[in-house]
Amino acid sequence: MVKYISTRGGGEAVSASEAILKGLAEDGGLFFPDHIPALPKSLKEFSEMTYQETAYEVMQPFLSDYTEEELRACIRNAYDAKFDTEAVAPLACVDGVYYLELFHGATIAFKDMALSILPHLMTTAVNKNHVKNEIVILTATSGDTGKAALAGFADVKGTKIIVFYPKNGVSPIQEKQMVTQQGNNTFVAGIHGNFDDAQNGVKKIFGDQEFGKLMADNGYQLSSANSINIGRLVPQIVYYVHAYAQLLKEGKISDGEPVNVVVPTGNFGNILAACFAKNMGLPIAKLICASNENKVLFDFFRTGVYDRNREFVLTSSPSMDILISSNLERLIYLIAGCSAKKNSDLMMQLSSSGKYQISTEMREKLQDFYGGYADEAETAKTIASVYGDCGYIIDPHTAVASCVYSKYQKETKDETKTVIASTASPYKFTRSVMKALGKEDSKKDDFALADDLHELSGVKIPEAVEGIRTAPILHDTVCEKDEMADVVKRCLGL
């Protein structure tokens, strides 16, 4: 049975359901499995499974205190008609590269893949652990997590959800998706600041013992829907296994043949899931980490120094506009030989000085990773060239990954078959996409541009966009970054 321990060494090991309920360890660390289990089936067996069947086999070893009936029910309720394709996460072959389309869920971003199941995992965990308190999901978002979490938890009994986002740091459609969210238990607030400010504010609230006592006294307890929650991370492993299995089934690769994976990366959760899949035995060769102009991760992989002391850049790929990649802590813990002391020392340095440097020994354990980045001009050029060459339209985040992969290929001449994680629908970033294609009309709003994108691509406008076109604004709270705790109190009537 897999238990979960803090990356900083505090507290006792907890079960999967307890880790999901807590979200963050009490010492500020992240929950990490006491061992990474091997894939329980052969790659050939996976190639004959549906997405839902794969999800059960991959997740069960990590969520070992859930009964088979409980876990299968969570999966059944998550991966259903909310997805507009039976395949759930189809692969599109474009110019010899396989784009793993992770945007077919309710909010047209990859966060749906995990946030469709997290509410079910959490409510099951509440019952398993006989929790009487109401669960308050407190989350910071750089654009996509917020809406996916709101949609997942809306009107879920025994929960409330409060989402903070950078007021001027998300796309107009991302913002409209959040501020029109229905549900008596949903709350949304913009902050004057960037995503890192929102994320730091949320972490501060989690770490405030006095605040925790106030919550408990009023029948509440905090949890998170960010990728720091292992209930977010574990479901993300599934689609890498399923993608490999589909390539095997279609005869695109042979059994055991390695593939590369390219992931546009901000908070490091999505690529960490691929790293976990590799550690479970999935034949992944290179883990290619693609950054935008906020290239803190590129610099880290190149130098071994993580340094957030730099200018924050607002880009056309806002979900990656992050300077503190929370999930990187799990990788640091892993390459430190699962030493909580080493990891904790580095995280203290990050907290006090904004930077840390890993040892030569730790750097040697990063050979499987390659870091690259694309600037704004390269991102736009990639959107235009992929459409011009292949008629396939990608969003800016996917374009960052595609551009970085092109650079990687030129640099290494590596011909290994490659999967690119396509993390959002182009309809979520219509202005940036249309501008890159030279088709933007500055007089039109993002919804009129969505109509133009439909004319251009022939791809149906997703309900996630169509449904909010005329929806009323239901959430208009905006606050300073040091007022976030007060906003939480107001939302909960404390």
Side-chain angles (χ1 to χ4, degrees):
M1 178 186 264
V2 172
K3 290 278 198 175
Y4 289 84
I5 48 183
S6 170
T7 51
R8 300 188 190 178
E12 296 178 1
V14 298
S15 68
S17 62
E18 289 173 309
I20 288 171
L21 280 175
K22 288 174 184 286
L24 195 66
E26 284 158 15
D27 61 357
L30 307 187
F31 285 114
F32 197 93
D34 59 8
H35 66 282
I36 296 177
L39 288 172
K41 300 285 184 186
S42 70
L43 298 170
K44 184 162 190 325
E45 285 174 302
F46 277 120
S47 73
E48 292 159 5
M49 292 182 193
T50 64
Y51 191 88
Q52 292 83 350
E53 289 165 344
T54 303
Y56 176 78
E57 296 296 341
V58 172
M59 291 169 65
Q60 192 281 324
F62 285 100
L63 307 180
S64 44
D65 67 322
Y66 285 73
T67 66
E68 179 173 352
E69 186 183 347
E70 287 169 341
L71 185 53
R72 287 198 187 278
C74 289
I75 290 165
R76 191 168 56 248
N77 290 326
Y79 304 113
D80 57 8
K82 290 190 288 293
F83 289 82
D84 65 15
T85 168
E86 197 178 321
V88 180
L91 284 161
C93 185
V94 181
D95 199 22
V97 183
Y98 298 96
Y99 286 80
L100 177 58
E101 294 184 346
L102 300 172
F103 52 76
H104 288 278
T107 76
I108 56 176
F110 83 98
K111 307 292 172 75
D112 288 322
M113 302 302 295
L115 283 164
S116 294
I117 193 167
L118 182 61
H120 301 291
L121 293 174
M122 198 166 278
T123 50
T124 303
V126 165
N127 294 329
K128 287 178 78 64
N129 291 279
H130 311 294
V131 172
K132 297 289 184 270
N133 288 340
E134 191 161 4
I135 303 295
V136 178
I137 308 297
L138 184 60
T139 288
T141 185
S142 55
D144 288 335
T145 286
K147 173 60 182 180
L150 288 161
F153 281 94
D155 291 324
V156 170
K157 193 177 173 188
T159 70
K160 284 185 165 58
I161 177 163
I162 305 169
V163 169
F164 290 97
Y165 73 97
K167 176 63 184 153
N168 297 308
V170 300
S171 81
I173 285 179
Q174 283 178 313
E175 181 172 44
K176 189 86 186 279
Q177 280 187 307
M178 288 188 280
V179 298
T180 58
Q181 177 64 52
Q182 297 180 327
N184 292 328
N185 64 337
T186 63
F187 305 89
V188 180
I191 70 154
H192 293 304
N194 58 40
F195 169 72
D196 288 331
D197 295 324
Q199 183 166 253
N200 285 337
V202 164
K203 282 186 172 178
K204 191 175 174 185
I205 293 169
F206 268 97
D208 186 337
Q209 292 183 348
E210 202 174 301
F211 193 90
K213 185 177 183 308
L214 175 68
M215 295 280 287
D217 289 346
N218 286 274
Y220 295 118
Q221 71 185 65
L222 289 174
S223 189
S224 171
N226 279 84
S227 54
I228 55 174
N229 193 314
I230 62 105
R232 270 279 305 273
L233 184 63
V234 171
Q236 290 179 275
I237 301 168
V238 176
Y239 46 74
Y240 293 110
V241 177
H242 188 65
Y244 187 96
Q246 290 312 294
L247 290 175
L248 183 58
K249 180 181 183 177
E250 293 165 17
K252 310 291 188 192
I253 56 175
S254 57
D255 194 343
E257 180 182 345
V259 299
N260 292 332
V261 172
V262 191
V263 188
T265 311
N267 218 20
F268 208 74
N270 201 1
I271 196 165
L272 184 71
C275 176
F276 269 50
K278 181 180 171 78
N279 276 273
M280 293 179 80
L282 195 68
I284 295 175
K286 277 286 181 190
L287 295 153
I288 300 170
C289 178
S291 300
N292 64 16
E293 286 185 22
N294 293 290
K295 55 189 180 69
V296 65
L297 288 166
F298 165 75
D299 291 337
F300 169 72
F301 284 115
R302 197 182 47 141
T303 66
V305 176
Y306 190 93
D307 187 355
R308 66 172 170 84
N309 300 308
R310 62 185 69 203
E311 184 185 352
F312 185 94
V313 185
L314 286 173
T315 73
S316 60
S317 48
S319 298
M320 298 157 66
D321 291 347
I322 294 172
L323 294 181
I324 304 174
S325 299
S326 289
N327 262 293
L328 186 65
E329 178 169 348
R330 285 189 170 110
L331 180 65
I332 296 299
Y333 176 78
L334 187 62
I335 62 174
C338 296
S339 166
K341 168 99 177 50
K342 284 183 188 172
N343 174 68
S344 196
D345 288 347
L346 292 171
M347 293 307 120
M348 281 178 69
Q349 289 175 39
L350 180 64
S351 180
S352 60
S353 68
K355 64 189 288 189
Y356 61 80
Q357 181 166 1
I358 61 173
S359 67
T360 305
E361 186 185 11
M362 290 169 72
R363 281 194 75 182
E364 285 168 0
K365 294 180 182 174
L366 293 177
Q367 298 302 312
D368 295 338
F369 283 89
Y370 171 93
Y373 80 97
D375 63 25
E376 284 292 88
E378 291 171 323
T379 302
K381 188 177 175 185
T382 301
I383 292 171
S385 64
V386 170
Y387 176 68
D389 295 345
C390 308
Y392 187 67
I393 298 181
I394 55 177
D395 90 291
H397 302 76
T398 307
V400 167
S402 183
C403 178
V404 166
Y405 175 60
S406 296
K407 290 181 178 182
Y408 169 79
Q409 263 200 315
K410 279 179 193 152
E411 184 184 318
T412 64
K413 307 294 187 284
D414 183 1
E415 293 300 319
T416 303
K417 293 191 178 79
T418 296
V419 173
I420 292 178
S422 184
T423 53
S425 164
Y427 279 106
K428 207 155 192 172
F429 304 95
T430 48
R431 187 168 301 280
S432 296
V433 170
M434 294 300 281
K435 188 175 181 182
L437 296 173
K439 309 280 188 185
E440 181 203 21
D441 183 338
S442 59
K443 298 188 188 72
K444 292 183 176 180
D445 69 13
D446 281 52
F447 293 96
L449 289 174
D451 294 329
D452 293 348
L453 183 56
H454 168 63
E455 292 279 315
L456 195 65
S457 67
V459 175
K460 185 183 174 192
I461 299 175
E463 178 54 31
V465 173
E466 205 60 77
I468 60 169
R469 195 185 283 259
T470 57
I473 305 296
L474 301 176
H475 307 275
D476 57 6
T477 300
V478 180
C479 69
E480 301 301 324
K481 58 189 178 185
D482 59 0
E483 295 172 340
M484 290 169 62
D486 292 332
V487 170
V488 173
K489 288 177 189 174
R490 280 203 301 276
C491 292
L492 301 178
L494 300 178

